[in-house]
Amino acid sequence: MRSTMEMTVNMILVQISNKQWTMQAMHLACAMARNTHSSVTLLNLMRVRSPALLGTELGVVPPTTQEHQDLHEYVMVAEDYGVEIILQPMQYDDIAEAIIQAADYADASVVFAHLPESVFPFWKKFQTWNLRRELLAQGRQLYILDTNEKADEWVPSVSLKAVK
C-alpha cells in the first residue's frame, strides 16, 4: 500500500529565469529528483517579437557568453546531485501559456516557474493563480519560489536567557 505522503514524480521542469532564482530552483528540483529517481528538464524560454515568428529560425536568439556559462553551472548542479538533465529550448509569446505547454510536452509532474514582475502587482498574482489552476487541472504541482527581496534582509536571531 502506497503512503499518501509518497510522491510519484517522473519529470521535474525548471524554467530558466534570473541566475539566483534558477540556481535556487535547480538545487530544490535536483534534490527532489534524486529522492524520487526523476529527471530534470531545464526550460530555456525565448520570447519572440511577434507571434508570427513562433517556430521560425528568426525567433531564435543565440545565447550570450554569460548565458552559456550559467547553463554550464546549472548542468553542474544536476551532475552534483547525480540526476539526468535535459535542456529544452522553447519560443514563446505568452510566458504562462508557454510554461503550461512545456509541462505538458515534458510530461512534468512538478514545475518550478518564475513569472516576471508586473507594473500591476495584482496582474502577477492573477497569472500565478491561473498558472497554478491550469497545472493542477493537468495533475501537475507548481512551485513558485519566494523572490521577496526583503526576505533576504531578514536574518533570524536567537536570544539566550539565563534560567534562574
Side-chain angles (χ1 to χ4, degrees):
M1 178 180 229
R2 179 181 290 185
S3 165
T4 56
M5 293 299 288
E6 188 177 321
M7 184 187 300
T8 303
V9 177
N10 295 320
M11 182 61 69
I12 299 170
L13 181 72
V14 177
Q15 170 202 350
I16 295 175
S17 186
N18 65 62
K19 186 172 181 181
Q20 179 183 358
W21 185 93
T22 307
M23 286 300 279
Q24 184 180 6
M26 281 297 295
H27 280 284
L28 293 169
C30 289
M32 183 184 289
R34 182 182 59 204
N35 291 338
T36 59
H37 307 290
S38 303
S39 300
V40 173
T41 295
L42 191 57
L43 179 61
N44 185 18
L45 291 174
M46 299 171 285
R47 186 176 184 99
V48 293
R49 289 171 276 159
S50 165
L53 296 176
L54 285 170
T56 68
E57 290 296 319
L58 296 173
V60 176
V61 178
T64 65
T65 303
Q66 183 60 52
E67 289 169 334
H68 270 292
Q69 291 172 352
D70 293 347
L71 282 172
H72 178 71
E73 288 183 43
Y74 305 146
V75 169
M76 295 305 296
V77 168
E79 285 182 10
D80 287 346
Y81 282 89
V83 299
E84 178 187 5
I85 186 164
I86 301 162
L87 180 60
Q88 180 62 56
M90 181 179 180
Q91 298 172 348
Y92 77 97
D93 180 45
D94 177 315
I95 193 164
E97 186 61 33
I99 293 167
I100 292 165
Q101 289 176 7
D104 187 45
Y105 178 78
D107 196 22
S109 302
V110 173
V111 177
F112 285 84
H114 185 227
L115 297 175
E117 294 300 323
S118 172
V119 291
F120 304 107
F122 179 75
W123 179 244
K124 181 177 179 180
K125 286 181 183 181
F126 173 75
Q127 284 185 308
T128 301
W129 171 82
N130 193 49
L131 179 61
R132 187 176 310 279
R133 183 184 62 81
E134 291 274 346
L135 290 172
L136 192 58
Q138 297 176 353
R140 305 177 203 293
Q141 179 67 46
L142 175 64
Y143 288 93
I144 303 278
L145 305 180
D146 184 10
T147 58
N148 184 354
E149 291 158 8
K150 291 182 182 176
D152 292 339
E153 296 171 5
W154 180 79
V155 177
S157 63
V158 176
S159 303
L160 298 177
K161 292 184 180 182
V163 179
K164 296 181 182 182

